[in-house]
Amino acid sequence: MAMMLSLGTMESMAQNAALDNIMTRTSVRDYTDQPVEQAKVEQLLRAGMAAPTAVNKQPWHFVVLNTREALDRMASANPRAGMLKRAPLAIVVCGDLQKTLDGKGQEYWIQDCSAATENILLAANALGLGAVWTALHPMEDRTKAAVEALGLPSHIVPLCTIVIGYPKGQTQPKDKWKPENVSYNKFGGKQ
């Protein structure tokens, strides 16, 4: 006999799964040789594009690196991302300055692309993949090297490289909870 779950129970399970995914996400820097399936790559990209964005501008562009040549070229461009040499996949999250707001609002692309990056990291964890965020922008040397390695036009700014693969071994998430980093109603305000 099939067990019937109440709507409340299903909602509670979904909430727990979402929170569990957030709390168990960790930076993974070592990967097996197993390639990441194209269906999962698309799920990662869809998750990135589901991110919140200022005035729905969606000022992002994603460069998928899935060949050994492209991954090695990017590893040479960013020495801080040496794990690219052992990974089967990376997604370079870029801001498209032709899709931004005008004036000071143009800088919202950084927040929008950061939200897309976190969505991709969480989706990777949910799909059984490991991933790590490696920064490019605002470091001029890294940004310039990435632009050259990827052949990016001047209106596309690389924010970061997300290195992705099936984890080799297990990494444990860090407990980053620090109540001293929280104020209520004003700086220094107590609960």
Side-chain angles (χ1 to χ4, degrees), residues 22-184:
I22 292 167
M23 301 307 283
T24 60
R25 191 222 55 85
T26 186
S27 295
V28 174
R29 294 175 175 84
D30 202 14
Y31 315 97
T32 68
D33 293 333
Q34 181 180 348
V36 177
E37 301 85 347
Q38 184 58 37
K40 287 188 177 184
V41 174
E42 184 173 325
Q43 286 180 295
L44 295 170
L45 295 167
R46 286 179 176 274
M49 291 181 201
T53 169
V55 195
N56 198 31
K57 287 291 190 177
Q58 303 173 39
W60 40 60
H61 186 89
F62 303 93
V63 180
V64 177
L65 307 178
N66 62 1
T67 66
R68 188 74 269 141
E69 178 188 351
L71 291 158
D72 290 347
R73 188 174 59 243
M74 195 62 191
S76 295
N78 184 3
R80 298 278 190 178
M83 70 287 295
L84 280 161
K85 294 179 181 180
R86 300 179 305 277
L89 178 71
I91 299 173
V92 182
V93 180
C94 304
D96 184 339
L97 300 183
Q98 292 179 344
K99 296 179 185 175
T100 63
L101 293 167
D102 294 327
K104 283 297 274 180
Q106 182 182 51
E107 294 299 312
Y108 286 142
W109 76 265
I110 298 168
Q111 295 173 37
D112 296 345
C113 289
S114 294
T117 298
E118 182 65 8
N119 275 13
I120 292 169
L121 292 169
L122 290 171
N125 189 49
L127 293 169
L129 299 166
V132 63
W133 174 335
T134 63
L136 295 167
H137 180 80
M139 306 306 286
E140 289 181 28
D141 58 332
R142 293 183 199 176
T143 302
K144 182 180 178 194
V147 165
E148 290 172 7
L150 300 172
L152 300 177
S154 62
H155 67 281
I156 301 292
V157 181
L159 176 72
C160 66
T161 303
I162 307 170
V163 187
I164 305 165
Y166 284 93
K168 186 186 278 187
Q170 290 198 355
T171 55
Q172 294 300 314
K174 297 175 182 142
D175 182 358
K176 298 179 182 180
W177 170 247
K178 293 183 181 172
E180 64 271 20
N181 290 341
V182 179
S183 295
Y184 287 85

